[in-house]
Amino acid sequence: MRLDRAASIDDLRLMAKRRIPRFAFDLVDGGAENERNLRRNSEAFEEVELTPRYMVDVSEIDTRAKFFGKTYDLPFGMAPIGMLNAFWPNADLSLARLCARQNIPYVASSAASTTLEELAEAAEGNAWFQLYVSSDDAVTEGLIARAGAAGYDTMIVTADVPAAGKRDRDIRNQLAVPFRITPEVLLGLALNPRWSLETLRHGKPNIANYADLLQSATSYAEVQKTLITPGFTWEALRKLRDRWGGKLLVKGILHPEDAIKCAELQCEGIVVSNHGGRQVAFGPPTIEALPRIAQAVGGKIGIAIDSGIRRGADLLRAKALGADFSFAGRALAYGVGAGGAAGGKRALDILQLELVRALGQLGVTSFAEIGPSVLSR
């Protein structure tokens, strides 16, 4: 299938699957354990019904959204994904540049394959930084200092990784960081020559912001132990709030009381997220958790959502249920996997066109006008 014939994000996913070795595809596509949450995230979005109103002039549609005082051309940005260059070479920079051109936020993962400094430059003022709090305070402090020096003014701290998720696909694929050459990897390289040649040209993917750590680590378990901490508490968040001078959001919120605590600690926002179904297999889909959270803190703190967005109408569903903004990760990643930078643009175009069409079919001329009144029940 050619990129211009891809009608949906699901089409791009299938195209990417054909071009990428299984171990690399599963790294982004997979979820925790039996992947219940991964499936339920998108299914739950589809269950939210909106009621169209007709005899409205929808010849002009406004898709802009305002978040933290800045107006973006679309009501969503790129969610952070670690090791994305393993999915498709140079994916990080391709998507950062795309977000700059489209005037939407690009969230650079601290576990990205490209340094936070390079991503800040590529995103041209639209870059946000996502932090994994390390068990080593010096590692965390170093990342925060670098983010400030690189010009980031918004940081998202991920709270939902007190322990690494159990991803069965990665276990079956014997995933290791840095990558090890196994017979399965060699077979994947042979069956996917385009991915192999591009990887050879751009260099072996790694976690760029932790280069020194990876060189000294003796195992992947040692790397994980340093990258995340079971000791990230509300008191630690308070100290982080005091340390970071820019806007601070907490990602991974699924309970209203946790959202209230974030507001009390003067965080500017939260991201209602279950890590794309990659951390736990037993939690709620994000769109189901959203309404109670919005009811608890709506208007007191900025509310964003990720995990499960595959259609332009999903952005309307999230807004109607209380989200101010949304983030999509896999949706744009599938595009890059299907066709490099041009594929990323195709993914964004699909979501944008679906959003415009959905607004018109709903009888609403501006995304900003979407509210609970459009819900069917």
Side-chain angles (χ1 to χ4, degrees), residues 86-135:
F87 192 69
W88 191 260
N90 215 37
D92 287 339
L93 288 173
S94 295
L95 289 173
R97 290 165 180 154
L98 174 65
C99 290
R101 292 194 300 272
Q102 298 296 319
N103 185 33
I104 60 175
Y106 173 86
V107 185
S109 170
S110 57
S113 309
T114 308
T115 66
L116 61 91
E117 290 85 0
E118 292 174 283
L119 291 172
E121 182 178 359
E124 299 178 11
N126 279 13
W128 298 10
F129 177 63
Q130 175 269 333
L131 173 71
Y132 285 117
V133 176
S134 171
S135 58

Coordinates of all heavy atoms in Angstrom, one line a residue, residues 86-135:
A86 N 14.6 2.9 17.4 CA 14.6 1.5 17.1 C 13.4 1.0 16.3 O 13.5 0.0 15.6 CB 14.7 0.7 18.4
F87 N 12.3 1.8 16.4 CA 11.1 1.5 15.6 C 11.4 1.9 14.1 O 11.2 1.1 13.2 CB 10.0 2.3 16.2 CG 8.6 1.9 15.6 CD1 8.1 0.6 15.9 CD2 7.9 2.7 14.8 CE1 6.8 0.3 15.5 CE2 6.6 2.4 14.4 CZ 6.1 1.1 14.7
W88 N 11.9 3.1 13.9 CA 12.3 3.5 12.6 C 13.4 4.5 12.8 O 13.3 5.5 13.6 CB 11.2 4.1 11.8 CG 11.6 4.3 10.3 CD1 12.0 5.4 9.7 CD2 11.7 3.2 9.4 NE1 12.4 5.2 8.4 CE2 12.2 3.8 8.2 CE3 11.4 1.9 9.4 CZ2 12.4 3.1 7.0 CZ3 11.6 1.1 8.2 CH2 12.1 1.7 7.1
P89 N 14.5 4.3 12.1 CA 15.7 5.2 12.2 C 15.3 6.7 12.0 O 14.6 7.1 11.1 CB 16.7 4.7 11.2 CG 16.3 3.3 11.0 CD 14.8 3.2 11.1
N90 N 15.9 7.5 12.9 CA 15.7 9.0 12.9 C 14.3 9.4 13.2 O 13.9 10.6 12.9 CB 16.2 9.5 11.5 CG 16.8 10.9 11.7 OD1 17.5 11.2 12.6 ND2 16.5 11.8 10.7
A91 N 13.5 8.5 13.7 CA 12.1 8.8 14.0 C 11.9 10.1 14.9 O 11.0 10.9 14.7 CB 11.3 7.6 14.6
D92 N 12.8 10.1 16.0 CA 12.7 11.2 16.9 C 12.7 12.6 16.2 O 11.9 13.4 16.4 CB 13.8 11.1 17.9 CG 13.7 10.0 19.0 OD1 12.5 9.6 19.1 OD2 14.7 9.6 19.5
L93 N 13.8 12.8 15.5 CA 14.0 14.1 14.8 C 12.9 14.3 13.8 O 12.4 15.5 13.6 CB 15.4 14.2 14.2 CG 16.5 14.3 15.2 CD1 17.9 14.2 14.5 CD2 16.4 15.6 16.0
S94 N 12.5 13.3 13.0 CA 11.4 13.5 12.0 C 10.2 14.0 12.7 O 9.5 14.9 12.1 CB 11.2 12.1 11.3 OG 12.3 11.7 10.6
L95 N 9.8 13.4 13.8 CA 8.5 13.9 14.4 C 8.7 15.2 15.1 O 7.7 16.0 15.2 CB 8.1 12.8 15.4 CG 7.5 11.5 14.8 CD1 7.3 10.4 15.8 CD2 6.3 11.8 14.0
A96 N 9.8 15.5 15.7 CA 10.1 16.8 16.3 C 10.0 17.9 15.3 O 9.3 19.0 15.5 CB 11.4 16.8 17.0
R97 N 10.5 17.7 14.1 CA 10.4 18.7 13.0 C 9.0 18.8 12.5 O 8.6 19.9 12.2 CB 11.4 18.3 11.9 CG 12.9 18.4 12.3 CD 13.8 17.7 11.3 NE 15.2 17.9 11.7 CZ 16.1 17.0 11.4 NH1 15.9 15.9 10.7 NH2 17.4 17.2 11.8
L98 N 8.3 17.7 12.4 CA 6.9 17.7 12.0 C 6.1 18.5 12.9 O 5.3 19.4 12.5 CB 6.4 16.3 11.9 CG 4.9 16.2 11.6 CD1 4.6 16.7 10.2 CD2 4.4 14.7 11.7
C99 N 6.3 18.4 14.2 CA 5.5 19.1 15.2 C 5.8 20.6 15.1 O 4.9 21.5 15.3 CB 5.8 18.6 16.6 SG 5.1 16.9 17.0
A100 N 7.1 20.9 14.9 CA 7.4 22.4 14.7 C 6.7 23.0 13.5 O 6.1 24.1 13.6 CB 8.9 22.5 14.5
R101 N 6.6 22.2 12.4 CA 5.9 22.7 11.2 C 4.4 22.9 11.4 O 3.8 23.8 10.9 CB 6.2 21.8 10.0 CG 7.6 21.8 9.5 CD 7.8 21.2 8.1 NE 7.3 19.8 8.1 CZ 8.1 18.8 8.4 NH1 9.4 19.0 8.7 NH2 7.6 17.5 8.4
Q102 N 3.9 22.0 12.2 CA 2.4 21.9 12.4 C 2.0 22.7 13.6 O 0.8 22.8 13.9 CB 1.9 20.5 12.5 CG 2.2 19.6 11.3 CD 1.4 20.1 10.1 OE1 0.3 20.4 10.2 NE2 2.1 20.1 9.0
N103 N 2.9 23.3 14.3 CA 2.6 24.1 15.5 C 1.8 23.3 16.6 O 0.7 23.7 17.0 CB 1.9 25.4 15.2 CG 1.7 26.3 16.4 OD1 2.5 26.3 17.3 ND2 0.6 27.0 16.5
I104 N 2.4 22.2 17.0 CA 1.9 21.4 18.0 C 3.0 21.0 19.0 O 4.2 20.9 18.5 CB 1.1 20.1 17.5 CG1 2.0 19.2 16.7 CG2 -0.1 20.5 16.7 CD1 1.4 17.9 16.3
P105 N 2.7 20.6 20.2 CA 3.8 20.2 21.1 C 4.5 18.9 20.8 O 3.8 18.0 20.4 CB 3.2 20.2 22.5 CG 1.8 20.8 22.3 CD 1.4 20.6 20.9
Y106 N 5.8 18.8 21.0 CA 6.5 17.6 20.8 C 7.1 17.3 22.2 O 7.9 18.1 22.7 CB 7.6 17.7 19.8 CG 8.5 16.4 19.8 CD1 8.2 15.3 19.0 CD2 9.7 16.4 20.6 CE1 9.0 14.2 19.0 CE2 10.5 15.2 20.6 CZ 10.1 14.1 19.8 OH 10.9 13.0 19.8
V107 N 6.7 16.2 22.8 CA 7.2 15.8 24.2 C 8.4 14.9 24.0 O 8.3 13.7 23.6 CB 6.2 15.2 25.0 CG1 6.7 15.0 26.5 CG2 4.9 16.1 25.1
A108 N 9.6 15.4 24.3 CA 10.8 14.6 24.2 C 11.0 13.7 25.4 O 11.0 14.1 26.6 CB 12.0 15.5 24.1
S109 N 11.1 12.4 25.2 CA 11.2 11.4 26.3 C 12.7 11.4 26.8 O 13.6 11.6 26.0 CB 10.9 10.0 25.8 OG 11.3 9.0 26.7
S110 N 12.8 11.3 28.1 CA 14.2 11.2 28.7 C 14.8 9.9 28.2 O 16.0 9.8 28.3 CB 14.1 11.3 30.2 OG 13.3 10.3 30.8
A111 N 14.0 8.9 27.8 CA 14.5 7.7 27.2 C 14.6 7.7 25.7 O 14.6 6.6 25.1 CB 13.7 6.5 27.7
A112 N 14.6 8.9 25.1 CA 14.6 9.0 23.6 C 16.0 8.5 23.1 O 17.0 8.4 23.8 CB 14.4 10.4 23.2
S113 N 16.0 8.2 21.8 CA 17.2 7.8 21.1 C 18.0 8.9 20.7 O 19.1 8.8 20.1 CB 16.9 6.9 19.9 OG 16.0 5.9 20.2
T114 N 17.5 10.1 20.9 CA 18.2 11.4 20.5 C 18.3 12.3 21.7 O 17.4 12.3 22.6 CB 17.3 12.1 19.4 OG1 17.1 11.2 18.3 CG2 18.1 13.3 18.8
T115 N 19.3 13.0 21.8 CA 19.5 13.8 23.0 C 18.4 14.9 23.2 O 17.9 15.4 22.2 CB 20.9 14.5 23.0 OG1 20.9 15.5 22.0 CG2 22.0 13.5 22.9
L116 N 18.2 15.3 24.4 CA 17.1 16.3 24.6 C 17.5 17.6 24.0 O 16.7 18.4 23.6 CB 16.8 16.4 26.1 CG 18.0 16.8 27.1 CD1 18.0 18.3 27.3 CD2 17.8 16.1 28.4
E117 N 18.8 17.9 23.9 CA 19.3 19.2 23.3 C 18.9 19.2 21.8 O 18.5 20.2 21.3 CB 20.8 19.3 23.5 CG 21.2 19.6 24.9 CD 21.3 18.4 25.8 OE1 21.2 17.3 25.3 OE2 21.7 18.5 27.0
E118 N 19.2 18.1 21.1 CA 18.9 18.0 19.7 C 17.4 18.1 19.4 O 17.0 18.7 18.4 CB 19.5 16.7 19.1 CG 21.0 16.6 19.1 CD 21.4 15.2 18.6 OE1 21.4 14.3 19.4 OE2 21.8 15.1 17.4
L119 N 16.6 17.5 20.2 CA 15.2 17.5 20.0 C 14.6 18.9 20.3 O 13.7 19.3 19.6 CB 14.5 16.5 20.9 CG 14.8 15.0 20.5 CD1 14.3 14.0 21.6 CD2 14.2 14.7 19.2
A120 N 15.2 19.6 21.3 CA 14.7 21.0 21.5 C 15.0 21.8 20.3 O 14.1 22.7 19.9 CB 15.4 21.5 22.8
E121 N 16.1 21.7 19.7 CA 16.5 22.5 18.5 C 15.5 22.1 17.4 O 15.1 23.0 16.7 CB 17.9 22.2 18.2 CG 18.4 23.0 17.0 CD 19.9 22.8 16.7 OE1 20.5 22.0 17.4 OE2 20.3 23.4 15.7
A122 N 15.3 20.8 17.2 CA 14.5 20.4 16.0 C 13.0 20.9 16.2 O 12.4 21.2 15.2 CB 14.5 18.9 15.9
A123 N 12.5 20.9 17.4 CA 11.1 21.2 17.6 C 10.9 22.8 17.6 O 9.7 23.2 17.6 CB 10.6 20.7 18.9
E124 N 11.9 23.5 17.6 CA 11.8 25.0 17.4 C 10.9 25.7 18.4 O 10.0 26.4 17.9 CB 11.5 25.3 16.0 CG 12.5 24.8 14.9 CD 12.0 25.0 13.5 OE1 11.1 25.8 13.3 OE2 12.6 24.5 12.6
G125 N 11.0 25.5 19.7 CA 10.2 26.2 20.6 C 8.9 25.4 21.0 O 8.2 25.8 21.9
N126 N 8.6 24.3 20.3 CA 7.5 23.5 20.7 C 7.8 22.3 21.5 O 7.0 21.4 21.6 CB 6.7 23.1 19.4 CG 5.8 24.2 18.9 OD1 6.0 25.3 19.3 ND2 5.0 23.9 17.9
A127 N 9.0 22.2 22.0 CA 9.4 21.0 22.7 C 9.1 21.1 24.2 O 9.4 22.1 24.9 CB 10.9 20.8 22.5
W128 N 8.5 20.0 24.7 CA 8.4 19.8 26.1 C 9.3 18.6 26.5 O 9.7 17.8 25.7 CB 6.9 19.4 26.5 CG 5.9 20.5 26.2 CD1 6.1 21.6 25.4 CD2 4.5 20.4 26.5 NE1 4.9 22.3 25.3 CE2 3.9 21.6 26.0 CE3 3.7 19.5 27.3 CZ2 2.6 21.9 26.2 CZ3 2.4 19.8 27.4 CH2 1.8 21.0 26.9
F129 N 9.6 18.5 27.8 CA 10.5 17.4 28.3 C 9.8 16.5 29.2 O 9.1 16.9 30.1 CB 11.8 18.0 28.9 CG 12.7 17.0 29.5 CD1 13.3 16.1 28.6 CD2 12.9 16.9 30.8 CE1 14.2 15.1 29.1 CE2 13.8 15.9 31.3 CZ 14.4 15.0 30.5
Q130 N 9.9 15.2 29.0 CA 9.4 14.2 29.9 C 10.5 13.6 30.7 O 11.5 13.1 30.2 CB 8.6 13.1 29.1 CG 8.1 11.9 29.9 CD 9.1 10.8 30.0 OE1 9.9 10.6 29.1 NE2 9.0 10.0 31.1
L131 N 10.3 13.5 32.0 CA 11.3 13.0 32.9 C 10.9 11.7 33.6 O 9.7 11.6 34.1 CB 11.5 14.1 34.0 CG 12.4 13.6 35.2 CD1 13.9 13.5 34.7 CD2 12.3 14.6 36.4
Y132 N 11.7 10.7 33.6 CA 11.6 9.5 34.4 C 12.5 9.8 35.7 O 13.7 10.1 35.5 CB 12.1 8.3 33.8 CG 11.2 7.7 32.7 CD1 11.6 7.6 31.4 CD2 9.9 7.2 33.1 CE1 10.7 7.1 30.5 CE2 9.1 6.7 32.2 CZ 9.5 6.6 30.9 OH 8.6 6.1 29.9
V133 N 11.9 9.8 36.8 CA 12.7 10.1 38.0 C 13.6 8.9 38.3 O 13.1 7.8 38.4 CB 11.8 10.4 39.2 CG1 12.6 10.6 40.5 CG2 11.0 11.7 39.0
S134 N 14.9 9.1 38.5 CA 15.8 8.0 38.6 C 16.0 7.6 40.1 O 15.8 8.5 41.0 CB 17.2 8.3 38.0 OG 18.1 7.4 38.4
S135 N 16.4 6.4 40.4 CA 16.8 6.0 41.7 C 18.1 6.7 42.2 O 18.4 6.8 43.3 CB 16.9 4.5 41.9 OG 17.9 4.0 40.9

